[in-house]
Amino acid sequence: MSQATDAKQQKTQTAQEVNISIGKFVAELVRSTLGPMGMDKMLVDRSGRTVVTNDGATILKETNFTHATANMIVEVARTQEEECYDGTTSAIVITGELLKQAEDLLSKKVHPTTIVKGYQVALKKCQELISDLSLDANDYLLEVAKTAMTGKSAEAEKEHLATLCVQATENASPGSINILSRYGQGVSESFTPNGIIIGQVKMHNAMPDSIADAKIALIDGEVDLPKMAKGTNLQFNSAEDAENFRLRQRQMLQGMADHIIGLGANIVLASKDINPALAELFARHGIIACRRCAASNLEAVADATNALIVSGLEDLEPDDLGSCGVVEEMDATSGQRGFFLLKDTPNSNAVSIVVYAPTQQTAEEISRAMEDAVGVVHIARTEGTVLAGGGASQVQLAMSLRDYSTSVGGLESLAVEAFADSLEIIPLTLAENSGQLQPIATLRELRKAHAEGQKNAGLNVHTGEVVDMASENVVEPLKVILSALESATATASLLLRIDNIIIAREPDEFGE
């Protein structure tokens, strides 16, 4: 009889079964969204807020997972999204398939570490082979953006939106591209303004609508009295004491306003709130103030105007101010609030895009698609290489891995073959999601085409034909596909090596 412990444990096989089961579940959750014919998911929280999307990263981020293994798999999506902006669904689907293939090997008594080693060998071989499939990205930048938007709400106007993405990334990186969504107009009305957008309105109606020779102060925080000075439970011995306290507060606010005015700033942008009394003082001196600006918005403005973002008003110095030729308010449309536009900025390495759509939900979904498209176009420009889409690269790599597996000794060769089978889950899923193709028969056609030397042969889900995807202009950055393989392999390997799931004790309140 084993010695009893105070820890809750699961036996070796049970732990692996749990991890594999959860991995397959998470993969199935997003699998139906993959490809041009993928479906959407509706995510509803307790407050009734609804998000409709088929973006894998958004689905997993918004889903309330409670199991630690599920959260580890979600980390794959987060990493893929941060590094490559796209390919999150593919990464999760491949992770689930690697675990499924490992389940079959485990049932044949292949040791988990042998499977993991075989997966690592297969990944290394893919890293060597994948460059042979690459194409020059400069010939496909517009197509990269279109492919990233295919199957999403942005697809109907992807020609126009893809052009905006390519234009925006000519001089700016994704972090310096601010995308503002508005609803009430057609998607075709989306545009790239000649300037940088501030996605907020002025705090006070008396503030000017435009300012020439703008001097811009950027504050990452609250522009208000110190917390202690605001006091919530104060007792005064007389009305005179209360009035004196109010006057001191007013003097402090006046001092803050004088500090801004003395620096010569006429635009104040804050990431948090601005005291209403202070906003009134700004209005009296012709200063525009906007509160609750997104951090990404402040960063884009800083890049364009050479401003320094400070943490508090007291840290602001004259050299911290940014500058631009004109700041003007753009008219509101369809009952929505307007926004400000900064023109004639000293730097052109920051860009804005205004996305319009008929409804708010659609506008938000298209904005997410645009963020992905902007990111992948930037990666394609930076890396300089793309691969044919439609499952072409995965089938080619799978075919090469099967040939390579014969030279791998021992049981690791089985894991290499399993890795190859896992790659083909991408074209299988594309065929399945099309609603009109038989997945196995389609995969056989793809294998035949690649065996005949058609390395760019992929699946056109609209026609059901196996075609040259490069000629069809369906391409993805090499980094997106390779990163998905690397993330999926790392996560599957990590989960397969776990032989116990143990509930750890809570840490001591004040540490060990």
Side-chain angles (χ1 to χ4, degrees):
M1 180 179 293
S2 60
Q3 185 177 356
T5 68
D6 60 355
K8 295 180 181 178
Q9 300 185 14
Q10 292 181 335
K11 295 180 181 179
T12 301
Q13 189 60 34
T14 303
Q16 290 169 343
E17 288 175 351
V18 167
N19 288 336
I20 291 172
S21 175
I22 292 176
K24 292 191 296 183
F25 168 77
V26 175
E28 284 298 319
L29 183 66
V30 297
R31 187 180 171 194
S32 64
T33 69
L34 185 68
M37 309 292 281
M39 302 295 287
D40 292 348
K41 305 289 184 184
M42 178 183 287
L43 307 168
V44 184
D45 64 15
R46 292 181 179 178
S47 66
R49 183 180 67 92
T50 302
V51 176
V52 178
T53 182
N54 70 353
D55 179 70
T58 302
I59 293 169
L60 296 177
K61 181 174 64 176
E62 297 288 341
T63 300
N64 183 24
F65 293 110
T66 57
H67 200 281
T69 300
N71 290 323
M72 289 174 63
I73 297 172
V74 171
E75 186 68 14
V76 178
R78 188 190 68 80
T79 303
Q80 181 75 13
E81 179 79 0
E82 289 181 355
E83 295 295 323
C84 300
Y85 305 94
D86 200 10
T88 53
T89 303
S90 296
I92 295 298
V93 169
I94 293 174
T95 300
E97 191 63 19
L98 286 171
L99 292 171
K100 180 181 178 181
Q101 294 292 332
E103 186 176 31
D104 293 337
L105 294 177
L106 288 170
S107 67
K108 298 173 183 177
K109 306 302 180 183
V110 179
H111 197 275
T113 56
T114 301
I115 299 173
V116 169
K117 190 171 182 180
Y119 280 178
Q120 298 296 335
V121 169
L123 175 62
K124 184 176 181 181
K125 189 63 178 177
C126 286
Q127 292 169 331
E128 296 173 2
L129 295 171
I130 201 167
S131 59
D132 296 333
L133 309 178
S134 63
L135 306 166
D136 187 353
N138 292 322
D139 298 331
Y140 294 98
L141 291 178
L142 192 62
E143 285 67 33
V144 167
K146 291 179 185 177
T147 302
M149 288 185 280
T150 300
K152 300 179 181 179
S153 300
E155 184 175 9
E157 293 288 345
K158 66 179 180 180
E159 186 81 34
H160 174 58
L161 296 176
T163 301
L164 296 181
C165 290
V166 174
Q167 291 174 350
T169 56
E170 287 180 357
N171 298 311
S173 62
S176 299
I177 298 175
N178 183 42
I179 299 175
L180 178 69
S181 63
R182 288 289 185 267
Y183 59 93
Q185 297 188 40
V187 180
S188 60
E189 299 298 319
S190 303
F191 69 102
T192 302
N194 181 26
I196 303 300
I197 288 174
I198 301 172
Q200 298 292 343
V201 295
K202 59 188 180 184
M203 282 193 64
H204 199 289
N205 287 335
M207 291 177 178
D209 297 331
S210 63
I211 289 179
D213 190 22
K215 301 298 180 184
I216 304 163
L218 304 180
I219 302 169
D220 184 17
E222 196 172 41
V223 184
D224 202 348
L225 295 173
K227 294 296 182 183
M228 291 183 63
K230 293 172 71 172
T232 54
N233 295 309
L234 299 178
Q235 292 183 345
F236 301 102
N237 295 324
S238 65
E240 183 179 0
D241 289 343
E243 179 63 16
N244 289 337
F245 178 79
R246 189 190 68 81
L247 290 175
R248 285 197 298 271
Q249 284 190 311
R250 186 72 180 180
Q251 289 171 356
M252 292 176 67
L253 289 172
Q254 183 65 58
M256 296 169 70
D258 291 341
H259 179 56
I260 288 287
I261 297 166
L263 293 173
N266 47 25
I267 305 287
V268 179
L269 307 179
S271 64
K272 296 183 180 179
D273 211 352
I274 298 176
N275 189 293
L278 195 55
E280 180 183 338
L281 292 172
F282 287 156
R284 292 182 183 278
H285 290 84
I287 297 173
I288 295 174
C290 299
R291 60 181 175 176
R292 299 170 187 165
C293 298
S296 58
N297 203 172
L298 293 183
E299 290 169 4
V301 173
D303 288 341
T305 64
N306 292 326
L308 177 67
I309 303 174
V310 298
S311 59
L313 186 63
E314 65 279 3
D315 300 323
L316 197 64
E317 299 179 359
D319 292 341
D320 299 333
L321 302 181
S323 63
C324 70
V326 177
V327 174
E328 62 181 9
E329 187 176 26
M330 306 298 290
D331 292 335
T333 58
S334 304
Q336 298 176 86
R337 63 186 183 185
F339 52 88
F340 281 93
L341 187 63
L342 280 65
K343 296 182 178 180
D344 302 326
T345 57
N347 298 324
S348 58
N349 59 346
V351 180
S352 293
I353 300 174
V354 181
V355 174
Y356 284 112
T359 67
Q360 183 176 2
Q361 287 281 1
T362 306
E364 292 173 355
E365 175 65 2
I366 292 178
S367 293
R368 285 191 287 268
M370 288 288 283
E371 289 174 359
D372 292 345
V374 163
V376 294
V377 171
H378 173 72
I379 288 175
R381 283 186 187 275
T382 305
E383 300 293 325
T385 52
V386 295
L387 300 177
S393 58
Q394 287 87 358
V395 174
Q396 181 66 29
L397 289 173
M399 185 182 71
S400 299
L401 282 178
R402 289 193 183 94
D403 293 338
Y404 172 68
S405 66
T406 59
S407 64
V408 178
L411 295 177
E412 292 174 12
S413 62
L414 297 178
V416 174
E417 291 179 5
F419 193 98
D421 292 339
S422 299
L423 295 182
E424 292 181 336
I425 191 62
I426 299 300
L428 279 171
T429 302
L430 292 175
E432 184 178 319
N433 289 349
S434 71
Q436 60 182 343
L437 300 175
Q438 211 290 324
I440 299 300
T442 302
L443 181 58
R444 286 177 178 173
E445 291 184 33
L446 281 169
R447 287 176 176 176
K448 179 182 176 182
H450 282 266
E452 294 172 352
Q454 302 177 43
K455 67 178 184 178
N456 293 327
L459 178 61
N460 184 325
V461 296
H462 299 290
T463 65
E465 298 176 341
V466 173
V467 297
D468 187 313
M469 300 309 287
S471 299
E472 294 285 315
N473 293 323
V474 178
V475 292
E476 301 175 83
L478 183 151
K479 182 179 178 180
V480 172
I481 294 177
L482 183 58
S483 179
L485 293 181
E486 292 171 344
S487 299
T489 304
T491 304
S493 299
L494 180 64
L495 294 176
L496 288 172
R497 293 179 65 91
I498 295 173
D499 68 350
N500 274 326
I501 299 175
I502 302 173
I503 307 301
R505 68 180 179 85
E506 295 295 326
D508 293 339
E509 185 177 356
F510 298 105
E512 294 286 344

